[in-house]
Every structure is written in C-alpha cells, then in structure tokens.
Amino acid sequence: SDHGEEFYEHEGFEHGRTLYQEQLAVPLLIRWPGRPAARSACHAQHVDILPTILTAVGIVPPPSVDGRSLDGTGSDEEREAYSQTSLRREVELTALTTPRSKAIRRVSSRDERVEVFDLDADPQEKSDLSIQHPIRSGYARQSLERWSLESAGWESRGWESRPAQLDPATQQRMEALGYGQGEP
C-alpha cells in the first residue's frame, strides 16, 4: 500500500488528511525470485523503490535518480524519511520520521506549528513534546522547511505537474474508492 487509513485516532477519517503513523507506517513488500525472505525495519520512501529495483538487477542507479537502494547495505538505523500532504491547498503538512521519533509541521496562511513525538514511548502519537524539546522542534522545523523547498524544485528538472486523463469507467472506479472527488 502507499498509505494507511485513519479511523478517528487523531479526530480524522480516511487518508490524506494527516501524517500520523496510521497514515505512514505501512509495509513495503518486495518478493525477489530466487532470494530468501528477509525483513528490514528501515524507513522506505516511494523514491527508494526505483534504486532498489535497479540494484537488485545489477544496475548502479545513476546520480539523477532520487532515493536510495533498500538492499540492506549501509546503516538505516537513524535514517530520516520525509512525507507531505496538502489540505485544500490552504494547509501543507510535512513530516520527518526516524525509527524512534516523528515531527509534523503544519503550515497555513494563519500559522505554523510543529509537533514532536517519541515513537518508542508514545507509538500512538498522543503526547506532543515540542514544548519540552525546543531544540528537536527547531531542528525538525528547519529540516522540513528545507526539504519542502528542495522538493518544490522538482519541476525544474523538466517534470510537469498535470492531472492524469482517465476514461469515464476508470474515473468512476476511482471515485468509488474515494479518489478524484476534489481535494480533501
């Protein structure tokens, strides 16, 4: 799956409205023919899938490919993963997750807020520690702001942002699944 679902854990329902663990902590399963099963606890991002596949088939990912291979080499113990979603184009949420902690930055036209969570002690993300940990909160704010600015530059690589054109039958199936009915 590319996302989880929220069932009122944080006063919301469905997906695409928050960046709490129920939305982000989903497994990535890859079955390689002829290889034994293995498990990794490292944080994966969508951008890691292409370099992982290239590495698995013996191709060194070119520098222009974002992400990194999840082939098990290197230390992923404190690897940072970034996530983002936008709500009605008025609110942008970004998250910085490590295996032990999470920070969520919410930016709107009215304010900016950062929540900080200790995932070991509080896996349900109920206790915001941003006031008790101002240095961690400041680091998260700066990292998420930098990441947002860098990821906004993806169009400068020649990629265009345009909506997909779907045939009516596919559009109807997508809407039945909760997609394509306007922004959340």
Side-chain angles (χ1 to χ4, degrees):
S1 176
D2 64 342
H3 60 76
E5 294 290 333
E6 185 174 348
F7 297 103
Y8 298 109
E9 292 91 343
H10 289 92
E11 301 176 19
F13 186 71
E14 296 181 341
H15 64 270
R17 298 178 189 329
T18 71
L19 292 176
Y20 295 107
Q21 289 297 87
E22 57 268 15
Q23 299 279 316
L24 301 182
V26 295
L28 169 64
L29 304 174
I30 301 174
R31 182 180 183 282
W32 301 114
R35 289 191 185 183
R39 173 178 256 167
S40 171
C42 77
H43 279 93
Q45 301 179 91
H46 290 118
V47 297
D48 297 330
I49 295 172
L50 177 60
T52 300
I53 292 170
L54 291 175
T55 302
V57 298
I59 299 172
V60 175
S64 61
V65 171
D66 287 336
R68 63 186 219 178
S69 178
L70 302 170
D71 65 354
T73 62
S75 173
D76 288 315
E77 190 168 316
E78 284 301 319
R79 180 171 184 214
E80 296 177 342
Y82 294 89
S83 309
Q84 102 179 61
T85 192
S86 295
L87 307 175
R88 298 174 303 280
R89 300 195 190 280
E90 299 166 7
V91 177
E92 180 173 322
L93 297 172
T94 52
L96 169 61
T97 308
T98 72
R100 295 188 185 112
S101 67
K102 158 100 68 71
I104 300 173
R105 179 177 177 241
R106 178 186 176 96
V107 178
S108 72
S109 59
R110 294 184 309 244
D111 67 348
E112 176 185 354
R113 178 176 52 148
V114 174
E115 296 175 284
V116 174
F117 301 99
D118 178 339
L119 296 177
D120 286 337
D122 179 24
Q124 303 299 313
E125 298 167 299
K126 299 295 183 184
S127 299
D128 177 11
L129 302 174
S130 58
I131 304 274
Q132 295 95 319
H133 297 282
I135 293 173
R136 191 185 295 181
S137 180
Y139 171 79
R141 176 177 280 114
Q142 290 177 351
S143 294
L144 289 165
E145 185 174 353
R146 183 187 71 244
W147 180 78
S148 290
L149 291 171
E150 288 172 359
S151 60
W154 66 275
E155 290 179 345
S156 67
R157 298 185 209 177
W159 300 337
E160 294 180 32
S161 175
R162 60 178 181 253
Q165 298 300 313
L166 302 175
D167 61 85
T170 301
Q171 180 70 33
Q172 188 175 25
R173 286 194 308 271
M174 295 297 288
E175 288 176 2
L177 292 170
Y179 296 96
Q181 300 169 343
E183 294 199 43

